[in-house]
Amino acid sequence: MKKIKYKVVHIYEEDFGCEGRPDGYTPMVEVYLSPQGTEKTSERKILQEDAWLYEQNIKEGDLVEFDTDRLRHWNGLD
């Protein structure tokens, strides 16, 4: 299966204001992605665990791909 390369355009963290996060909540972020290259696909917005992005060191401007419903740095291999 051909992997699609995306650029991370924006990472949006939820704001819980003075209420704080609910008990047992796994912090999630919205990740806005723009396809790169000649792919015929549209921009996407996905939810990812905040801790996963930190663990993978994924930040705005990085090139990424999907791997079992998670973002990983683009490795350029099909």
Side-chain angles (χ1 to χ4, degrees):
M1 182 169 92
K2 183 173 170 63
K3 295 180 181 177
I4 299 174
K5 177 173 54 171
Y6 293 94
K7 182 177 181 179
V8 177
V9 177
H10 183 69
I11 299 172
Y12 176 75
E13 297 181 19
E14 294 179 286
D15 181 8
F16 289 95
C18 60
E19 291 88 22
R21 293 183 175 143
D23 291 339
Y25 175 78
T26 300
M28 303 290 283
V29 294
E30 290 180 348
V31 182
Y32 292 81
L33 303 169
S34 176
Q36 301 296 294
T38 59
E39 301 303 325
K40 302 276 190 221
T41 187
S42 58
E43 293 186 351
R44 297 182 71 171
K45 176 180 79 170
I46 62 166
L47 287 176
Q48 288 283 277
E49 294 176 7
D50 192 33
W52 175 255
L53 292 183
Y54 279 109
E55 183 180 314
Q56 299 300 309
N57 195 30
I58 294 174
K59 52 196 175 300
E60 291 178 0
D62 286 351
L63 296 178
V64 295
E65 64 189 8
F66 285 108
D67 185 15
T68 50
D69 297 329
R70 288 198 165 176
L71 291 175
R72 296 193 187 274
H73 280 280
W74 173 256
N75 65 19
L77 303 176
D78 289 330

